[in-house]
Amino acid sequence: MSGKLFIVGTGPGKPSQMTPETREAIAAATEFFGYGPYLDRLDLRSDQVRIASDNREELDRAQAALARAAAGANVCVVSGGDPGIFAMAAAVCEAIDKGPSEWRQVDLVVTPGVTAMLAVAARIGAPLGHDFCAMSLSDNLKPWDVITRRLRLAAEAGLVIALYNPISKARPWQLGEAFEVLRNVLPASVPVIFGRAAGRPDERITVMPLGEADANRADMATCVIIGSPETRMVARQGRPDLVYTPRSFNGESH
Amino acid sequence: MSGKLFIVGTGPGKPSQMTPETREAIAAATEFFGYGPYLDRLDLRSDQVRIASDNREELDRAQAALARAAAGANVCVVSGGDPGIFAMAAAVCEAIDKGPSEWRQVDLVVTPGVTAMLAVAARIGAPLGHDFCAMSLSDNLKPWDVITRRLRLAAEAGLVIALYNPISKARPWQLGEAFEVLRNVLPASVPVIFGRAAGRPDERITVMPLGEADANRADMATCVIIGSPETRMVARQGRPDLVYTPRSFNGESH
């Protein structure tokens, strides 16, 4: 008799941005698999067990969770943000794809959440107000030349670009090089948003033009949003500038 | 003395997918501007006023809401999904950009929400598990040749593509033509997900290969997700197939 496997997203970290549906899924599970800092966001009961692992060990974690669910436990796999965006839902699907046939019989429930780029966008206006893409800048799982080619094509297409995993101790130079690639395609005036820890007490949102964008402003908790040539800034006295991408196309990126 | 202007997203329509933060914003406002069916999702008190308008009138609605907030009212502008994704936050920013200077002094609060593509993805596995883009297929506010060019570049880049506003009575042929454009770039086997009303009682999620994708399966409540060459399907006996895009790149789209 198989148990249930919930895959949930906590949202960006502000407790009131976690959906009631996700809270219900958490209440229904007894074993929790995830990266430690994400598990820390949950308020677990004494009968609920945490199994924390490093954020590089997604496939191992997915396999361990599936094995427990297949054995009958009600298991919850925890991501930050939304579990389907550069997070655990894909790892669990991959583990099912490659795993024993009984894992296909596990009752899988994915609850969507507020992913980082949406929380960052909400704090600054509407930079994702028109066509955009989301890319992981990590070259742990794909070659760097694929990433730079995607960046170039996305910029040529006039898409706003949201970058997840922009930088880490093991990947210190990639974001700077990504800015270089984009400077060859986009005007230097395009706004770049460094959205760190949106909605959390240590939130820091800064904006600078692509021509001056400094990769050192980003850390692992940052989602970087690079505007398109259509993206505009609105200055406000005594309030932060707004950044938005209009719903209508004016032709500057074509 | 300026009031507050909340811009909120209800999520895809399942009540438990609306965040507590959004509920608090709704409780704090007294005048509600939005498309009627989105306002219908709110459980308003008798002292809260609804001002419904058609879904083509975003800029007028934004201006009316800003005028009321500038006059001191606590106003809420309501979108479905997330207010920053093809929704009202960009319209309000645009109205501020073009409007009288006192509108820049309005206290603006945007609360993020679960946007349609995340809810659809959660119901089918993890199709957005790696690099992807989100595009509006509406040619009301941008030329059709810009849209087809973006589709081609996004497919060449190996991005999964989520299409918002795929079809309407006034735009009946665009989705079919978009599939034609994509068939020239992508393998016919790439899965296409028609995600209708995800999480609502009238939900209908269907998957078919791009080679056979039929635009008539979509309506205004549908978000269409087109896989990349990396996207995979997992057959499950007695359960719907899973669709996911792996976290790692295997080289098929390069």
Side-chain angles (χ1 to χ4, degrees), chain A residues 51-135:
Chain A
I51 301 101
S53 47
D54 193 77
N55 65 359
R56 295 273 199 97
E57 296 166 7
E58 280 108 348
L59 198 58
D60 289 349
R61 182 191 302 146
Q63 290 164 338
L66 278 160
R68 287 297 300 143
N74 286 330
V75 174
C76 186
V77 172
V78 181
S79 290
D82 176 273
I85 307 296
F86 308 116
M88 286 302 298
V92 171
C93 288
E94 187 179 338
I96 294 172
D97 195 7
K98 297 177 175 170
S101 61
E102 61 263 32
W103 287 2
R104 297 182 187 223
Q105 291 313 309
V106 169
D107 187 2
L108 205 65
V109 178
V110 185
T111 70
V114 173
T115 183
M117 64 181 167
L118 303 185
V120 170
R123 294 295 288 158
I124 193 102
L128 306 177
H130 205 64
D131 301 341
F132 67 95
C133 68
M135 292 180 47

Side-chain angles (χ1 to χ4, degrees), chain B:
Chain B
M1 174 61 192
S2 165
K4 250 188 168 163
L5 181 57
F6 298 98
I7 311 177
V8 306
T10 63
K14 187 178 187 176
S16 64
Q17 288 177 350
M18 189 192 293
T19 67
E21 182 186 52
T22 289
R23 275 187 204 286
E24 286 161 26
I26 291 166
T30 54
E31 300 183 17
F32 293 80
F33 290 80
Y35 176 49
Y38 298 151
L39 295 181
D40 291 344
R41 292 179 184 171
L42 311 182
D43 206 12
L44 298 181
R45 302 183 306 259
S46 60
D47 65 311
Q48 293 177 312
V49 180
R50 343 170 355 137
I51 302 100
S53 46
D54 192 78
N55 66 358
R56 295 273 198 96
E57 296 167 7
E58 280 108 349
L59 197 60
D60 288 351
R61 182 192 300 146
Q63 290 165 339
L66 277 160
R68 288 297 301 144
N74 286 329
V75 174
C76 186
V77 172
V78 180
S79 290
D82 177 274
I85 307 298
F86 308 116
M88 285 303 299
V92 170
C93 288
E94 186 179 337
I96 294 172
D97 195 8
K98 297 176 175 170
S101 62
E102 61 263 32
W103 287 3
R104 299 183 185 223
Q105 290 314 305
V106 169
D107 188 1
L108 204 65
V109 178
V110 185
T111 70
V114 173
T115 183
M117 64 182 167
L118 302 186
V120 170
R123 295 294 288 157
I124 192 103
L128 306 177
H130 205 63
D131 301 341
F132 67 94
C133 67
M135 290 180 48
S136 170
L137 209 61
S138 168
D139 54 354
N140 290 335
L141 295 168
K142 70 186 157 190
W144 180 246
D145 70 323
V146 171
I147 297 175
T148 55
R149 180 171 179 272
R150 286 184 178 176
L151 286 170
R152 245 189 316 269
L153 289 168
E156 283 170 10
L159 301 174
V160 172
I161 301 171
L163 294 178
Y164 284 67
N165 309 317
I167 204 161
S168 74
K169 273 181 195 149
R171 295 182 292 101
W173 54 264
Q174 283 81 346
L175 181 59
E177 194 163 312
F179 287 149
E180 278 307 311
V181 168
L182 294 173
R183 284 185 192 113
N184 288 324
V185 186
L186 294 169
S189 60
V190 154
V192 176
I193 301 158
F194 293 81
R196 184 181 182 285
R200 302 208 292 270
D202 53 341
E203 172 182 290
R204 193 177 62 233
I205 315 267
T206 51
V207 186
M208 57 187 83
L210 177 60
E212 298 161 25
D214 174 8
N216 293 317
R217 293 290 185 104
D219 66 8
M220 277 180 66
T222 306
C223 179
V224 177
I225 300 177
I226 298 128
S228 80
E230 306 277 320
T231 304
R232 293 178 54 87
M233 303 213 19
V234 184
R236 297 188 300 171
Q237 238 176 1
R239 295 185 184 278
D241 295 348
L242 293 173
V243 182
Y244 79 101
T245 307
R247 304 156 307 131
S248 55
F249 178 81
N250 293 310
E252 295 182 47
S253 69
H254 194 42

Side-chain angles (χ1 to χ4, degrees), chain A residues 166-179:
Chain A
I167 204 161
S168 74
K169 273 179 196 151
R171 296 181 291 101
W173 55 265
Q174 283 83 344
L175 181 59
E177 194 163 312
F179 288 149

